[in-house]
Amino acid sequence: MEITIEDFQKLEIKVGKVIEAERIEGTRLLKLKVDLGSETRQIVSGIAEYYTPDQILNKNVIVLTNLKPRIIRGFESQGMILAAGCKEDEQRGVKPVLLVPDGDAPQGTKVC
């Protein structure tokens, strides 16, 4: 499916830094606190099979910030950590890889 540049411009994508990370017991989920510069968000991410809390703590990540919040396993998720490798890729044995900035972009920097 093709989208227009106007569609892409509706996405709010920013650099964030993971400042807290914990596994949600009995799930494949990590509960993260992400510093976005002007605010901190809680994000629930299905990456616990591939990343431990220690591996992701203090890591700069790319975050979709204007995704409608939703409750996942009783926890509110206020965005999405972006990664290369989706469900279809996992079926082929490709592990999700977090998208990270190349260099020192401050928290809250907009991806465009």
Side-chain angles (χ1 to χ4, degrees), residues 12-46:
E12 188 175 285
I13 304 170
K14 295 181 178 181
V15 175
K17 182 176 185 173
V18 178
I19 57 173
E20 291 180 26
E22 68 179 84
R23 185 162 189 155
I24 298 174
E25 281 299 315
T27 73
R28 300 176 182 184
L29 303 171
L30 292 181
K31 182 175 71 165
L32 310 171
K33 293 281 187 191
V34 179
D35 177 3
L36 294 165
S38 62
E39 65 179 315
T40 299
R41 299 261 186 112
Q42 177 172 280
I43 298 176
V44 177
S45 182

PDB file of all heavy atoms in Angstrom, residues 12-46:
ATOM      1  N   GLU A  12       4.247  11.003  14.338  1.00  0.00           N
ATOM      2  CA  GLU A  12       5.160  11.724  15.227  1.00  0.00           C
ATOM      3  C   GLU A  12       6.161  10.699  15.746  1.00  0.00           C
ATOM      4  O   GLU A  12       5.825   9.851  16.579  1.00  0.00           O
ATOM      5  CB  GLU A  12       4.385  12.355  16.371  1.00  0.00           C
ATOM      6  CG  GLU A  12       5.218  13.273  17.223  1.00  0.00           C
ATOM      7  CD  GLU A  12       4.371  13.963  18.273  1.00  0.00           C
ATOM      8  OE1 GLU A  12       3.627  14.901  17.909  1.00  0.00           O
ATOM      9  OE2 GLU A  12       4.436  13.543  19.444  1.00  0.00           O
ATOM     10  N   ILE A  13       7.369  10.770  15.232  1.00  0.00           N
ATOM     11  CA  ILE A  13       8.413   9.814  15.570  1.00  0.00           C
ATOM     12  C   ILE A  13       9.564  10.592  16.201  1.00  0.00           C
ATOM     13  O   ILE A  13      10.034  11.574  15.627  1.00  0.00           O
ATOM     14  CB  ILE A  13       8.887   9.044  14.319  1.00  0.00           C
ATOM     15  CG1 ILE A  13       7.700   8.364  13.631  1.00  0.00           C
ATOM     16  CG2 ILE A  13       9.953   8.027  14.686  1.00  0.00           C
ATOM     17  CD1 ILE A  13       8.031   7.787  12.267  1.00  0.00           C
ATOM     18  N   LYS A  14       9.992  10.143  17.391  1.00  0.00           N
ATOM     19  CA  LYS A  14      11.020  10.873  18.133  1.00  0.00           C
ATOM     20  C   LYS A  14      12.067   9.935  18.714  1.00  0.00           C
ATOM     21  O   LYS A  14      11.819   8.742  18.886  1.00  0.00           O
ATOM     22  CB  LYS A  14      10.384  11.649  19.291  1.00  0.00           C
ATOM     23  CG  LYS A  14       9.437  12.748  18.863  1.00  0.00           C
ATOM     24  CD  LYS A  14       8.890  13.475  20.059  1.00  0.00           C
ATOM     25  CE  LYS A  14       7.979  14.617  19.643  1.00  0.00           C
ATOM     26  NZ  LYS A  14       7.462  15.347  20.820  1.00  0.00           N
ATOM     27  N   VAL A  15      13.199  10.521  19.044  1.00  0.00           N
ATOM     28  CA  VAL A  15      14.252   9.808  19.757  1.00  0.00           C
ATOM     29  C   VAL A  15      13.901   9.803  21.244  1.00  0.00           C
ATOM     30  O   VAL A  15      13.488  10.831  21.797  1.00  0.00           O
ATOM     31  CB  VAL A  15      15.621  10.481  19.555  1.00  0.00           C
ATOM     32  CG1 VAL A  15      16.693   9.802  20.410  1.00  0.00           C
ATOM     33  CG2 VAL A  15      16.009  10.482  18.083  1.00  0.00           C
ATOM     34  N   GLY A  16      14.021   8.641  21.862  1.00  0.00           N
ATOM     35  CA  GLY A  16      13.796   8.520  23.299  1.00  0.00           C
ATOM     36  C   GLY A  16      14.913   7.702  23.934  1.00  0.00           C
ATOM     37  O   GLY A  16      15.634   6.988  23.246  1.00  0.00           O
ATOM     38  N   LYS A  17      15.039   7.826  25.235  1.00  0.00           N
ATOM     39  CA  LYS A  17      16.032   7.043  25.977  1.00  0.00           C
ATOM     40  C   LYS A  17      15.305   6.215  27.025  1.00  0.00           C
ATOM     41  O   LYS A  17      14.518   6.757  27.808  1.00  0.00           O
ATOM     42  CB  LYS A  17      17.045   7.956  26.657  1.00  0.00           C
ATOM     43  CG  LYS A  17      18.127   7.201  27.396  1.00  0.00           C
ATOM     44  CD  LYS A  17      19.159   8.149  27.959  1.00  0.00           C
ATOM     45  CE  LYS A  17      20.298   7.363  28.586  1.00  0.00           C
ATOM     46  NZ  LYS A  17      21.384   8.256  28.984  1.00  0.00           N
ATOM     47  N   VAL A  18      15.569   4.915  27.037  1.00  0.00           N
ATOM     48  CA  VAL A  18      14.949   4.018  28.010  1.00  0.00           C
ATOM     49  C   VAL A  18      15.592   4.272  29.365  1.00  0.00           C
ATOM     50  O   VAL A  18      16.801   4.083  29.528  1.00  0.00           O
ATOM     51  CB  VAL A  18      15.098   2.542  27.590  1.00  0.00           C
ATOM     52  CG1 VAL A  18      14.489   1.622  28.642  1.00  0.00           C
ATOM     53  CG2 VAL A  18      14.472   2.299  26.214  1.00  0.00           C
ATOM     54  N   ILE A  19      14.774   4.720  30.338  1.00  0.00           N
ATOM     55  CA  ILE A  19      15.309   5.040  31.667  1.00  0.00           C
ATOM     56  C   ILE A  19      14.885   4.024  32.734  1.00  0.00           C
ATOM     57  O   ILE A  19      15.456   4.000  33.815  1.00  0.00           O
ATOM     58  CB  ILE A  19      14.945   6.473  32.088  1.00  0.00           C
ATOM     59  CG1 ILE A  19      13.437   6.687  32.075  1.00  0.00           C
ATOM     60  CG2 ILE A  19      15.650   7.487  31.197  1.00  0.00           C
ATOM     61  CD1 ILE A  19      12.989   8.024  32.651  1.00  0.00           C
ATOM     62  N   GLU A  20      13.892   3.196  32.415  1.00  0.00           N
ATOM     63  CA  GLU A  20      13.502   2.078  33.284  1.00  0.00           C
ATOM     64  C   GLU A  20      13.038   0.946  32.379  1.00  0.00           C
ATOM     65  O   GLU A  20      12.425   1.185  31.336  1.00  0.00           O
ATOM     66  CB  GLU A  20      12.334   2.450  34.211  1.00  0.00           C
ATOM     67  CG  GLU A  20      12.658   3.442  35.281  1.00  0.00           C
ATOM     68  CD  GLU A  20      11.460   3.761  36.168  1.00  0.00           C
ATOM     69  OE1 GLU A  20      10.547   2.905  36.295  1.00  0.00           O
ATOM     70  OE2 GLU A  20      11.431   4.869  36.715  1.00  0.00           O
ATOM     71  N   ALA A  21      13.321  -0.276  32.803  1.00  0.00           N
ATOM     72  CA  ALA A  21      12.894  -1.440  32.029  1.00  0.00           C
ATOM     73  C   ALA A  21      12.674  -2.613  32.969  1.00  0.00           C
ATOM     74  O   ALA A  21      13.514  -2.890  33.817  1.00  0.00           O
ATOM     75  CB  ALA A  21      13.948  -1.805  30.982  1.00  0.00           C
ATOM     76  N   GLU A  22      11.526  -3.268  32.813  1.00  0.00           N
ATOM     77  CA  GLU A  22      11.261  -4.475  33.602  1.00  0.00           C
ATOM     78  C   GLU A  22      10.398  -5.427  32.792  1.00  0.00           C
ATOM     79  O   GLU A  22       9.578  -5.013  31.974  1.00  0.00           O
ATOM     80  CB  GLU A  22      10.597  -4.146  34.934  1.00  0.00           C
ATOM     81  CG  GLU A  22       9.187  -3.609  34.831  1.00  0.00           C
ATOM     82  CD  GLU A  22       8.572  -3.325  36.186  1.00  0.00           C
ATOM     83  OE1 GLU A  22       8.824  -2.231  36.717  1.00  0.00           O
ATOM     84  OE2 GLU A  22       7.841  -4.198  36.691  1.00  0.00           O
ATOM     85  N   ARG A  23      10.629  -6.702  33.035  1.00  0.00           N
ATOM     86  CA  ARG A  23       9.836  -7.736  32.366  1.00  0.00           C
ATOM     87  C   ARG A  23       8.498  -7.878  33.076  1.00  0.00           C
ATOM     88  O   ARG A  23       8.426  -7.825  34.300  1.00  0.00           O
ATOM     89  CB  ARG A  23      10.576  -9.062  32.381  1.00  0.00           C
ATOM     90  CG  ARG A  23       9.826 -10.112  31.594  1.00  0.00           C
ATOM     91  CD  ARG A  23      10.660 -11.267  31.218  1.00  0.00           C
ATOM     92  NE  ARG A  23       9.881 -12.076  30.290  1.00  0.00           N
ATOM     93  CZ  ARG A  23      10.388 -12.870  29.422  1.00  0.00           C
ATOM     94  NH1 ARG A  23      11.685 -12.977  29.329  1.00  0.00           N
ATOM     95  NH2 ARG A  23       9.628 -13.572  28.624  1.00  0.00           N
ATOM     96  N   ILE A  24       7.433  -8.033  32.307  1.00  0.00           N
ATOM     97  CA  ILE A  24       6.122  -8.308  32.868  1.00  0.00           C
ATOM     98  C   ILE A  24       6.032  -9.821  33.012  1.00  0.00           C
ATOM     99  O   ILE A  24       6.056 -10.547  32.009  1.00  0.00           O
ATOM    100  CB  ILE A  24       4.996  -7.755  31.971  1.00  0.00           C
ATOM    101  CG1 ILE A  24       5.116  -6.225  31.869  1.00  0.00           C
ATOM    102  CG2 ILE A  24       3.629  -8.158  32.525  1.00  0.00           C
ATOM    103  CD1 ILE A  24       4.145  -5.589  30.891  1.00  0.00           C
ATOM    104  N   GLU A  25       5.986 -10.285  34.259  1.00  0.00           N
ATOM    105  CA  GLU A  25       6.024 -11.722  34.560  1.00  0.00           C
ATOM    106  C   GLU A  25       5.003 -12.514  33.746  1.00  0.00           C
ATOM    107  O   GLU A  25       3.861 -12.084  33.577  1.00  0.00           O
ATOM    108  CB  GLU A  25       5.759 -11.958  36.045  1.00  0.00           C
ATOM    109  CG  GLU A  25       6.948 -11.703  36.937  1.00  0.00           C
ATOM    110  CD  GLU A  25       8.138 -12.589  36.637  1.00  0.00           C
ATOM    111  OE1 GLU A  25       7.977 -13.809  36.447  1.00  0.00           O
ATOM    112  OE2 GLU A  25       9.247 -12.045  36.592  1.00  0.00           O
ATOM    113  N   GLY A  26       5.447 -13.668  33.240  1.00  0.00           N
ATOM    114  CA  GLY A  26       4.573 -14.577  32.524  1.00  0.00           C
ATOM    115  C   GLY A  26       4.218 -14.133  31.118  1.00  0.00           C
ATOM    116  O   GLY A  26       3.299 -14.687  30.510  1.00  0.00           O
ATOM    117  N   THR A  27       4.926 -13.122  30.591  1.00  0.00           N
ATOM    118  CA  THR A  27       4.641 -12.613  29.249  1.00  0.00           C
ATOM    119  C   THR A  27       5.926 -12.474  28.444  1.00  0.00           C
ATOM    120  O   THR A  27       7.022 -12.660  28.973  1.00  0.00           O
ATOM    121  CB  THR A  27       3.946 -11.235  29.293  1.00  0.00           C
ATOM    122  OG1 THR A  27       4.912 -10.247  29.681  1.00  0.00           O
ATOM    123  CG2 THR A  27       2.758 -11.221  30.245  1.00  0.00           C
ATOM    124  N   ARG A  28       5.761 -12.072  27.198  1.00  0.00           N
ATOM    125  CA  ARG A  28       6.893 -11.746  26.327  1.00  0.00           C
ATOM    126  C   ARG A  28       7.094 -10.234  26.267  1.00  0.00           C
ATOM    127  O   ARG A  28       7.653  -9.719  25.305  1.00  0.00           O
ATOM    128  CB  ARG A  28       6.623 -12.255  24.919  1.00  0.00           C
ATOM    129  CG  ARG A  28       6.425 -13.736  24.824  1.00  0.00           C
ATOM    130  CD  ARG A  28       6.076 -14.126  23.424  1.00  0.00           C
ATOM    131  NE  ARG A  28       5.841 -15.552  23.323  1.00  0.00           N
ATOM    132  CZ  ARG A  28       5.593 -16.170  22.202  1.00  0.00           C
ATOM    133  NH1 ARG A  28       5.525 -15.506  21.079  1.00  0.00           N
ATOM    134  NH2 ARG A  28       5.401 -17.471  22.198  1.00  0.00           N
ATOM    135  N   LEU A  29       6.632  -9.545  27.294  1.00  0.00           N
ATOM    136  CA  LEU A  29       6.583  -8.090  27.272  1.00  0.00           C
ATOM    137  C   LEU A  29       7.581  -7.453  28.234  1.00  0.00           C
ATOM    138  O   LEU A  29       7.856  -7.980  29.307  1.00  0.00           O
ATOM    139  CB  LEU A  29       5.175  -7.613  27.654  1.00  0.00           C
ATOM    140  CG  LEU A  29       4.028  -8.140  26.802  1.00  0.00           C
ATOM    141  CD1 LEU A  29       2.695  -7.755  27.428  1.00  0.00           C
ATOM    142  CD2 LEU A  29       4.133  -7.621  25.379  1.00  0.00           C
ATOM    143  N   LEU A  30       8.075  -6.284  27.818  1.00  0.00           N
ATOM    144  CA  LEU A  30       8.840  -5.413  28.697  1.00  0.00           C
ATOM    145  C   LEU A  30       8.031  -4.146  28.923  1.00  0.00           C
ATOM    146  O   LEU A  30       7.429  -3.609  27.992  1.00  0.00           O
ATOM    147  CB  LEU A  30      10.182  -5.021  28.073  1.00  0.00           C
ATOM    148  CG  LEU A  30      11.236  -6.099  27.895  1.00  0.00           C
ATOM    149  CD1 LEU A  30      12.497  -5.500  27.278  1.00  0.00           C
ATOM    150  CD2 LEU A  30      11.566  -6.783  29.204  1.00  0.00           C
ATOM    151  N   LYS A  31       8.016  -3.678  30.166  1.00  0.00           N
ATOM    152  CA  LYS A  31       7.408  -2.389  30.501  1.00  0.00           C
ATOM    153  C   LYS A  31       8.555  -1.394  30.608  1.00  0.00           C
ATOM    154  O   LYS A  31       9.464  -1.572  31.429  1.00  0.00           O
ATOM    155  CB  LYS A  31       6.618  -2.471  31.794  1.00  0.00           C
ATOM    156  CG  LYS A  31       5.929  -1.168  32.155  1.00  0.00           C
ATOM    157  CD  LYS A  31       5.042  -1.303  33.372  1.00  0.00           C
ATOM    158  CE  LYS A  31       5.902  -1.464  34.601  1.00  0.00           C
ATOM    159  NZ  LYS A  31       5.192  -1.252  35.868  1.00  0.00           N
ATOM    160  N   LEU A  32       8.506  -0.376  29.771  1.00  0.00           N
ATOM    161  CA  LEU A  32       9.592   0.585  29.669  1.00  0.00           C
ATOM    162  C   LEU A  32       9.122   1.975  30.054  1.00  0.00           C
ATOM    163  O   LEU A  32       7.984   2.350  29.792  1.00  0.00           O
ATOM    164  CB  LEU A  32      10.109   0.639  28.229  1.00  0.00           C
ATOM    165  CG  LEU A  32      10.442  -0.701  27.570  1.00  0.00           C
ATOM    166  CD1 LEU A  32      10.719  -0.502  26.089  1.00  0.00           C
ATOM    167  CD2 LEU A  32      11.603  -1.360  28.264  1.00  0.00           C
ATOM    168  N   LYS A  33      10.002   2.744  30.660  1.00  0.00           N
ATOM    169  CA  LYS A  33       9.819   4.182  30.822  1.00  0.00           C
ATOM    170  C   LYS A  33      10.819   4.822  29.867  1.00  0.00           C
ATOM    171  O   LYS A  33      12.023   4.507  29.903  1.00  0.00           O
ATOM    172  CB  LYS A  33      10.114   4.640  32.249  1.00  0.00           C
ATOM    173  CG  LYS A  33       9.144   4.122  33.273  1.00  0.00           C
ATOM    174  CD  LYS A  33       7.870   4.913  33.272  1.00  0.00           C
ATOM    175  CE  LYS A  33       7.020   4.423  34.444  1.00  0.00           C
ATOM    176  NZ  LYS A  33       5.707   4.894  34.432  1.00  0.00           N
ATOM    177  N   VAL A  34      10.298   5.703  29.003  1.00  0.00           N
ATOM    178  CA  VAL A  34      11.132   6.298  27.964  1.00  0.00           C
ATOM    179  C   VAL A  34      11.118   7.822  28.112  1.00  0.00           C
ATOM    180  O   VAL A  34      10.050   8.439  28.134  1.00  0.00           O
ATOM    181  CB  VAL A  34      10.632   5.887  26.561  1.00  0.00           C
ATOM    182  CG1 VAL A  34      11.493   6.521  25.479  1.00  0.00           C
ATOM    183  CG2 VAL A  34      10.631   4.364  26.419  1.00  0.00           C
ATOM    184  N   ASP A  35      12.308   8.402  28.224  1.00  0.00           N
ATOM    185  CA  ASP A  35      12.470   9.848  28.306  1.00  0.00           C
ATOM    186  C   ASP A  35      12.460  10.411  26.894  1.00  0.00           C
ATOM    187  O   ASP A  35      13.309  10.073  26.071  1.00  0.00           O
ATOM    188  CB  ASP A  35      13.790  10.166  29.007  1.00  0.00           C
ATOM    189  CG  ASP A  35      14.099  11.652  29.080  1.00  0.00           C
ATOM    190  OD1 ASP A  35      13.279  12.486  28.645  1.00  0.00           O
ATOM    191  OD2 ASP A  35      15.194  11.986  29.583  1.00  0.00           O
ATOM    192  N   LEU A  36      11.481  11.284  26.623  1.00  0.00           N
ATOM    193  CA  LEU A  36      11.353  11.911  25.306  1.00  0.00           C
ATOM    194  C   LEU A  36      11.747  13.389  25.348  1.00  0.00           C
ATOM    195  O   LEU A  36      11.348  14.170  24.501  1.00  0.00           O
ATOM    196  CB  LEU A  36       9.929  11.755  24.784  1.00  0.00           C
ATOM    197  CG  LEU A  36       9.523  10.324  24.481  1.00  0.00           C
ATOM    198  CD1 LEU A  36       8.019  10.203  24.327  1.00  0.00           C
ATOM    199  CD2 LEU A  36      10.236   9.811  23.242  1.00  0.00           C
ATOM    200  N   GLY A  37      12.534  13.763  26.341  1.00  0.00           N
ATOM    201  CA  GLY A  37      12.975  15.146  26.466  1.00  0.00           C
ATOM    202  C   GLY A  37      12.015  15.971  27.282  1.00  0.00           C
ATOM    203  O   GLY A  37      12.305  16.335  28.417  1.00  0.00           O
ATOM    204  N   SER A  38      10.840  16.246  26.746  1.00  0.00           N
ATOM    205  CA  SER A  38       9.863  17.086  27.440  1.00  0.00           C
ATOM    206  C   SER A  38       8.878  16.280  28.278  1.00  0.00           C
ATOM    207  O   SER A  38       8.079  16.851  29.016  1.00  0.00           O
ATOM    208  CB  SER A  38       9.089  17.925  26.421  1.00  0.00           C
ATOM    209  OG  SER A  38       8.377  17.077  25.538  1.00  0.00           O
ATOM    210  N   GLU A  39       8.926  14.971  28.160  1.00  0.00           N
ATOM    211  CA  GLU A  39       8.008  14.105  28.901  1.00  0.00           C
ATOM    212  C   GLU A  39       8.579  12.692  28.982  1.00  0.00           C
ATOM    213  O   GLU A  39       9.483  12.329  28.248  1.00  0.00           O
ATOM    214  CB  GLU A  39       6.629  14.066  28.236  1.00  0.00           C
ATOM    215  CG  GLU A  39       6.652  13.432  26.853  1.00  0.00           C
ATOM    216  CD  GLU A  39       5.285  13.359  26.196  1.00  0.00           C
ATOM    217  OE1 GLU A  39       4.320  12.967  26.871  1.00  0.00           O
ATOM    218  OE2 GLU A  39       5.200  13.689  25.009  1.00  0.00           O
ATOM    219  N   THR A  40       7.998  11.909  29.892  1.00  0.00           N
ATOM    220  CA  THR A  40       8.346  10.504  30.030  1.00  0.00           C
ATOM    221  C   THR A  40       7.102   9.695  29.723  1.00  0.00           C
ATOM    222  O   THR A  40       6.012  10.024  30.183  1.00  0.00           O
ATOM    223  CB  THR A  40       8.840  10.191  31.452  1.00  0.00           C
ATOM    224  OG1 THR A  40      10.004  10.979  31.708  1.00  0.00           O
ATOM    225  CG2 THR A  40       9.200   8.722  31.601  1.00  0.00           C
ATOM    226  N   ARG A  41       7.259   8.639  28.940  1.00  0.00           N
ATOM    227  CA  ARG A  41       6.138   7.781  28.568  1.00  0.00           C
ATOM    228  C   ARG A  41       6.402   6.350  29.017  1.00  0.00           C
ATOM    229  O   ARG A  41       7.537   5.879  29.034  1.00  0.00           O
ATOM    230  CB  ARG A  41       5.955   7.736  27.046  1.00  0.00           C
ATOM    231  CG  ARG A  41       5.654   9.048  26.382  1.00  0.00           C
ATOM    232  CD  ARG A  41       4.179   9.172  26.116  1.00  0.00           C
ATOM    233  NE  ARG A  41       3.878  10.358  25.359  1.00  0.00           N
ATOM    234  CZ  ARG A  41       3.432  10.378  24.117  1.00  0.00           C
ATOM    235  NH1 ARG A  41       3.239   9.252  23.461  1.00  0.00           N
ATOM    236  NH2 ARG A  41       3.167  11.517  23.522  1.00  0.00           N
ATOM    237  N   GLN A  42       5.295   5.642  29.346  1.00  0.00           N
ATOM    238  CA  GLN A  42       5.365   4.203  29.595  1.00  0.00           C
ATOM    239  C   GLN A  42       5.001   3.503  28.292  1.00  0.00           C
ATOM    240  O   GLN A  42       3.993   3.814  27.676  1.00  0.00           O
ATOM    241  CB  GLN A  42       4.381   3.809  30.693  1.00  0.00           C
ATOM    242  CG  GLN A  42       4.349   2.311  30.939  1.00  0.00           C
ATOM    243  CD  GLN A  42       3.528   1.980  32.156  1.00  0.00           C
ATOM    244  OE1 GLN A  42       4.003   2.095  33.266  1.00  0.00           O
ATOM    245  NE2 GLN A  42       2.282   1.564  31.937  1.00  0.00           N
ATOM    246  N   ILE A  43       5.842   2.574  27.895  1.00  0.00           N
ATOM    247  CA  ILE A  43       5.603   1.817  26.663  1.00  0.00           C
ATOM    248  C   ILE A  43       5.754   0.335  26.975  1.00  0.00           C
ATOM    249  O   ILE A  43       6.737  -0.082  27.584  1.00  0.00           O
ATOM    250  CB  ILE A  43       6.578   2.240  25.550  1.00  0.00           C
ATOM    251  CG1 ILE A  43       6.355   3.722  25.209  1.00  0.00           C
ATOM    252  CG2 ILE A  43       6.423   1.355  24.321  1.00  0.00           C
ATOM    253  CD1 ILE A  43       7.314   4.287  24.207  1.00  0.00           C
ATOM    254  N   VAL A  44       4.768  -0.441  26.562  1.00  0.00           N
ATOM    255  CA  VAL A  44       4.811  -1.893  26.704  1.00  0.00           C
ATOM    256  C   VAL A  44       5.223  -2.451  25.346  1.00  0.00           C
ATOM    257  O   VAL A  44       4.587  -2.155  24.328  1.00  0.00           O
ATOM    258  CB  VAL A  44       3.445  -2.454  27.151  1.00  0.00           C
ATOM    259  CG1 VAL A  44       3.489  -3.970  27.222  1.00  0.00           C
ATOM    260  CG2 VAL A  44       3.039  -1.859  28.497  1.00  0.00           C
ATOM    261  N   SER A  45       6.285  -3.233  25.333  1.00  0.00           N
ATOM    262  CA  SER A  45       6.843  -3.720  24.079  1.00  0.00           C
ATOM    263  C   SER A  45       7.045  -5.241  24.116  1.00  0.00           C
ATOM    264  O   SER A  45       7.535  -5.773  25.114  1.00  0.00           O
ATOM    265  CB  SER A  45       8.194  -3.032  23.831  1.00  0.00           C
ATOM    266  OG  SER A  45       8.752  -3.433  22.604  1.00  0.00           O
ATOM    267  N   GLY A  46       6.705  -5.896  23.039  1.00  0.00           N
ATOM    268  CA  GLY A  46       6.814  -7.349  22.946  1.00  0.00           C
ATOM    269  C   GLY A  46       8.189  -7.828  22.530  1.00  0.00           C
ATOM    270  O   GLY A  46       8.328  -8.642  21.616  1.00  0.00           O
TER     271      GLY A  46
END
